[in-house]
Amino acid sequence: MTHKTKGIVLRAVKYGETSIIATVYTELFGIQSYIVKGVRQSSKKSQGKSNYFQPSAILQMEVYHNELKNLQFIKEFEWAYLYEHLFFDVIKNAVATYMVELLQHSLKQPEANPELFYLMEDSLKQLDRGDVTLTANLPLYFTLHLATELGFQWQGEFNKHTPVLDLEEGQYVGDIPGHPFYLSGELARISSEINSINFYNDLENIQLNRTVRRQLLQSFQQYIALHVSDFGELRSLSVLYELF
């Protein structure tokens, strides 16, 4: 039996002489690995088909699915959304790479999570269309909302009674905790503001300097690492530090 599902490509590696194995985050089945046959052939029919499997590509697919197998097969595929800028803009592509890597490190099981899929899909589309400020702030927004979809949303908000964000406990508290994983002062306030955003366009109104954005991104990524076992190190994070 075949199923139609959208999928976001996370990575692809060569397989045999003409095929690839693609890791795809799907709407119906969560993260899956697919053998895609013949897309690296030099024939006219196959020319350019490997481009569909660039990381962050959003595809409409018809797939075979067997829960007892680790490797599935893709029968048909086409663009579900065709980027205008993301594949060609170095900065937007770096942000997309971070989002893809963060998702890979955060997902430990293959089960479906449609809301998380829609967050990833919508964030990539907004990144493709967004201005410079939205692009720079999107990694912060995505990291916090990813944590929410994974089940560990922050509790409380910044105010004069709870001016400290305890990253280990995932909540705003009144006093500095006895560990180094916390934000206070302006960093805690801005974190609360970003966490309360419901519309991507609101990111265009948040003006942050390079130092603040770097501190926040480092702390937000640390928050997820504290709550996901065997999280590992993100190679793309250092690139964002340099860019933003």
Side-chain angles (χ1 to χ4, degrees):
M1 181 180 294
T2 63
H3 306 264
K4 292 185 177 180
T5 181
K6 284 194 287 187
I8 298 168
V9 179
L10 304 182
R11 68 189 296 259
V13 296
K14 295 178 181 179
Y15 178 72
E17 294 296 322
T18 62
S19 303
I20 61 171
I21 293 178
T23 303
V24 183
Y25 188 55
T26 69
E27 182 180 6
L28 290 185
F29 306 112
I31 192 167
Q32 297 289 326
S33 294
Y34 294 99
I35 295 176
V36 192
K37 294 183 175 181
V39 292
R40 292 169 46 234
Q41 289 178 335
S42 57
S43 67
K44 185 175 181 180
K45 182 180 179 180
S46 299
Q47 189 174 12
K49 286 198 171 182
S50 60
N51 292 332
Y52 284 77
F53 293 92
Q54 298 177 68
S56 73
I58 305 174
L59 303 180
Q60 182 65 49
M61 308 184 300
E62 185 175 357
V63 302
Y64 297 97
H65 186 76
N66 185 332
E67 292 184 358
L68 301 178
K69 293 183 178 180
N70 293 324
L71 275 177
Q72 315 291 343
F73 290 89
I74 297 179
K75 181 181 180 182
E76 301 286 346
F77 56 88
E78 62 183 8
W79 299 114
Y81 179 84
L82 189 58
Y83 295 119
E84 295 181 26
H85 307 288
L86 191 148
F87 285 150
F88 316 106
D89 184 303
V90 173
I91 294 177
K92 290 179 182 291
N93 193 257
V95 173
T97 299
Y98 166 78
M99 292 165 57
V100 164
E101 188 180 16
L102 182 64
L103 187 68
Q104 285 181 285
H105 281 244
S106 301
L107 297 176
K108 302 301 178 181
Q109 301 295 330
E111 69 265 9
N113 183 340
E115 292 303 318
L116 178 51
F117 177 86
Y118 302 143
L119 170 65
M120 185 70 174
E121 180 186 31
D122 290 343
S123 295
L124 287 169
K125 290 178 179 179
Q126 292 293 330
L127 173 62
D128 185 50
R129 299 190 291 257
D131 68 7
V132 173
T133 304
L134 184 147
T135 298
N137 290 331
L138 187 61
L140 300 172
Y141 175 93
F142 177 76
T143 304
L144 290 189
H145 283 73
L146 173 63
T148 297
E149 295 302 335
L150 292 174
F152 40 90
Q153 182 178 10
W154 288 344
Q155 301 301 310
E157 60 182 19
F158 178 88
N159 57 49
K160 64 180 181 179
H161 303 294
T162 53
V164 179
L165 175 57
D166 186 328
L167 296 172
E168 197 168 86
E169 295 298 324
Q171 62 182 356
Y172 281 89
V173 297
D175 300 305
I176 291 176
H179 56 75
F181 307 115
Y182 69 89
L183 292 172
S184 60
E186 188 67 2
L187 293 177
R189 185 197 67 77
I190 296 170
S191 298
S192 182
E193 181 181 356
I194 295 173
N195 195 45
S196 65
I197 285 177
N198 293 316
F199 301 100
Y200 288 95
N201 287 346
D202 291 338
L203 292 171
E204 299 173 0
N205 301 321
I206 298 179
Q207 301 296 325
L208 303 174
N209 64 44
R210 190 185 191 96
T211 300
V212 168
R213 188 177 286 115
R214 177 173 181 167
Q215 289 174 317
L216 290 175
L217 186 58
Q218 187 176 37
S219 296
F220 292 0
Q221 181 266 322
Q222 181 66 59
Y223 176 62
I224 289 188
L226 286 168
H227 293 83
V228 174
S229 60
D230 301 319
F231 181 79
E233 185 176 346
L234 297 182
R235 292 179 295 177
S236 58
L237 200 57
S238 61
V239 177
L240 291 194
Y241 289 163
E242 292 301 318
L243 290 174
F244 300 125

